[in-house]
Amino acid sequence: MKLNFNNPSLGGKIEVPGDKSISHRSIMFGALSEGKTTIRHFLKGEDCLSTIDCFRKLGVQIDETDEEIIVHGTGWDGLKEPSEILNTGNSGTTTRLMLGILAGRPFHSVMIGDESIGKRPMDRVTVPLAAMGADIAGRENGRFTPLSIRGKKLETIEYKLPVASAQVKSAVIFAALQANGESVIVEPEATRDHTEKMIEQFGGSIRREGNRIIVKGGQQFKGTDVYVPGDISSAAFFMVAAAITPNSEVVLEHTGLNKTRTGIIDVFEQMGADITVEKTFSEGEEIGTITVKTSSLKGTEIGGEIIPRLIDEIPIIALLATQAEGETIIRNAEELKVKETNRIDTVVDELKKLGADIEATDDGMIIRGKSKLRGGAVSSHGDHRIGMVMAIAALITDGEVELHDPEAIAVSYPEFFDHLRLLAK
Ligand code: S3P
């Protein structure tokens, strides 16, 4: 795909698609509940469609209209042994969270994903689940897909997460919900809490005491209506686009503002960006309008507890930092190495091709700005977020950007190029 913008400016209002993490969980809790769940503003990206496909194979009726997804919940006991392999595609969230659900169901299932999923560590989930009594076999001792799950009666656990991961936390929560008694999960740093919020939205309960999360087993859920806020991880691309493109102002309505996800807003403020955030209404999850204008930016340091609050935004923050005066240092972000690609390497390699002054470190990257970027041939490497970083970079390059494999973007943001064209006048 050739991207050629001639001195663009960005302007207008958009509503980015629904939050990916919340969309996955709405299908999962909808399926595990008794009765009907109606989901509005669901993200029809490939990852969330994989979750729908897996639950259909488990016997759950899920209807789709243009406006809504309707899940006819079966309850925990209504899930059926699948006669086909569950294919989770490119989705780590589907793979890991479903392991926590399937580990305690009384049947056998097999899970596989795409080539990228086949390289991502699953032992971070299979190890705690095995400690709860799960029987999961997989390539290299359960480290990688394909995985075979023989459902078992699960025991409670007290587990300190070795990595700050909401996917691991959520998988253990789903398993703990099926055990007899109380489990405790200890987080090294707070990670996104959509699973906890959704348990309450579906009529269940969960407690947090500091960094300890306490889950009672044997809970039954009741179907409900869910509105999925816009995904701040998708909004991030147009926040950065507005900040780095001359004469721009972009308004992002109905964007999720859950505190465990808003690290990018803190970074914008630290870098001196022209950003305003207005909370509108909140229905389980906080929501609001984010407005960003062309900004004069300064470099910053990013590390520590903020990392889980912006982990998916680091690739686009790297582009932002190329347009800031001075040095930006990102630390403690080694988790980027086990995302859809090794995102430290892919973002550094691709931005370098456009002339950025950026280098990889063991746990992050160092970016020196402000650089004038040039056109060139780059690739998404099959990673949706890397593809979007490169497309946004094309707004400020001298010359054309040729983006290989732009299709990957449909994983989380199928309307991305429509929105880009709409805003770039
Ligand atoms: C997610 C958690 C994060 C994030 C991913 C979605 C979730 O992954 O990067 O895009 O929905 O729980 P980790 O749990 O691996 O940090």
Side-chain angles (χ1 to χ4, degrees):
M1 174 184 278
K2 292 189 189 325
L3 294 161
N4 207 336
F5 299 95
N6 215 343
N7 292 323
S9 64
L10 294 188
K13 251 186 213 174
I14 56 167
E15 184 176 358
V16 297
D19 187 277
K20 182 154 78 68
S21 295
I22 299 174
S23 294
H24 283 299
R25 287 159 172 83
S26 65
I27 299 292
M28 295 176 185
F29 281 100
L32 296 173
S33 294
E34 305 284 345
K36 192 169 99 174
T37 288
T38 304
I39 310 164
R40 285 180 300 132
H41 203 232
F42 179 83
L43 169 62
K44 288 191 180 173
E46 285 165 10
D47 269 12
C48 299
L49 296 178
S50 295
T51 295
I52 289 187
D53 182 59
C54 289
F55 277 94
R56 284 188 175 140
K57 288 183 175 140
L58 290 161
V60 182
Q61 186 190 331
I62 303 173
D63 303 329
E64 285 176 56
T65 68
D66 285 346
E67 299 295 314
E68 294 174 341
I69 303 283
I70 299 162
V71 185
H72 301 271
T74 58
W76 290 97
D77 295 333
L79 294 184
K80 299 216 165 51
E81 184 167 69
S83 56
E84 288 174 76
I85 291 173
L86 304 175
N87 191 335
T88 61
N90 190 244
S91 176
T93 308
T94 312
T95 314
R96 296 200 176 110
L97 271 58
M98 291 206 57
L99 281 172
I101 295 171
L102 295 171
R105 295 299 81 214
F107 52 71
H108 175 249
S109 40
V110 178
M111 218 187 262
I112 194 167
D114 70 3
E115 200 187 320
S116 156
I117 279 293
K119 293 183 192 144
R120 298 181 66 185
M122 295 300 152
D123 50 346
R124 52 178 59 196
V125 174
T126 56
V127 166
L129 294 181
M132 300 174 82
D135 180 0
I136 302 173
R139 191 161 48 91
E140 291 191 25
N141 263 326
R143 184 163 159 74
F144 297 114
T145 56
L147 296 161
S148 156
I149 306 113
R150 213 169 271 292
K152 284 277 177 320
K153 178 112 205 56
L154 300 175
E155 307 291 333
T156 58
I157 192 170
E158 167 137 10
Y159 190 63
K160 183 169 184 326
L161 299 176
V163 280
S165 160
Q167 292 181 357
V168 179
K169 170 178 71 174
S170 301
V172 177
I173 290 176
F174 275 122
L177 285 167
Q178 302 176 73
N180 212 344
E182 254 182 18
S183 293
V184 180
I185 301 156
V186 184
E187 286 195 294
E189 261 137 21
T191 65
R192 63 191 69 194
D193 62 357
H194 307 300
T195 303
E196 296 91 309
K197 286 205 152 60
M198 220 171 251
I199 285 179
E200 287 174 347
Q201 218 178 332
F202 280 80
S205 67
I206 185 159
R207 272 182 6 253
R208 176 180 271 277
E209 290 169 5
N211 59 352
R212 295 160 65 82
I213 297 155
I214 300 140
V215 196
K216 222 184 244 141
Q219 298 189 41
Q220 303 299 324
F221 301 116
K222 269 185 59 187
T224 187
D225 291 346
V226 177
Y227 169 76
V228 182
D231 196 329
I232 191 163
S233 298
S234 299
F237 295 99
F238 292 110
M239 290 166 65
V240 169
I244 64 176
T245 309
N247 305 316
S248 296
E249 174 169 352
V250 169
V251 180
L252 299 150
E253 292 184 304
H254 305 137
T255 307
L257 294 175
N258 180 313
K259 286 184 196 60
T260 61
R261 299 285 299 283
T262 50
I264 177 128
I265 295 176
D266 300 352
V267 165
F268 265 59
E269 286 167 354
Q270 263 166 246
M271 295 179 80
D274 188 340
I275 181 170
T276 51
V277 179
E278 191 193 333
K279 291 206 172 125
T280 44
F281 68 96
S282 145
E283 207 181 293
E285 292 277 354
E286 292 207 85
I287 289 177
T289 301
I290 302 175
T291 305
V292 179
K293 296 185 193 165
T294 309
S295 302
S296 161
L297 302 160
K298 56 177 193 288
T300 191
E301 292 195 16
I302 303 169
E305 66 77 35
I306 199 172
I307 294 294
R309 297 176 54 234
L310 48 63
I311 188 74
D312 293 340
E313 289 67 77
I314 292 175
I316 191 68
I317 288 172
L319 173 64
L320 182 73
T322 68
Q323 301 309 302
E325 292 296 341
E327 201 170 65
T328 294
I329 304 175
I330 302 172
R331 296 192 182 88
N332 313 122
E334 47 280 273
E335 272 296 297
L336 289 176
K337 296 179 185 172
V338 291
K339 296 293 176 188
E340 286 81 333
T341 56
N342 175 335
R343 285 186 176 156
I344 295 181
D345 289 350
T346 47
V347 80
V348 167
D349 290 350
E350 297 312 291
L351 283 177
K352 259 190 190 159
K353 290 180 188 164
L354 303 183
D357 183 350
I358 180 167
E359 70 183 88
T361 61
D362 281 350
D363 67 346
M365 54 194 94
I366 301 174
I367 306 116
R368 290 175 203 91
K370 179 178 179 175
S371 309
K372 182 82 203 110
L373 300 185
R374 56 173 184 261
V378 290
S379 170
S380 72
H381 293 263
D383 182 333
H384 54 126
R385 297 200 200 280
I386 301 301
M388 288 187 274
V389 171
M390 303 325 292
I392 297 297
L395 287 166
I396 55 161
T397 49
D398 258 348
E400 185 176 271
V401 169
E402 188 174 341
L403 174 61
H404 296 286
D405 202 0
E407 296 76 24
I409 292 172
V411 155
S412 66
Y413 201 159
E415 308 89 332
F416 175 77
F417 287 108
D418 296 338
H419 284 175
L420 182 56
R421 265 178 236 118
L422 190 87
L423 294 172
K425 294 171 289 203

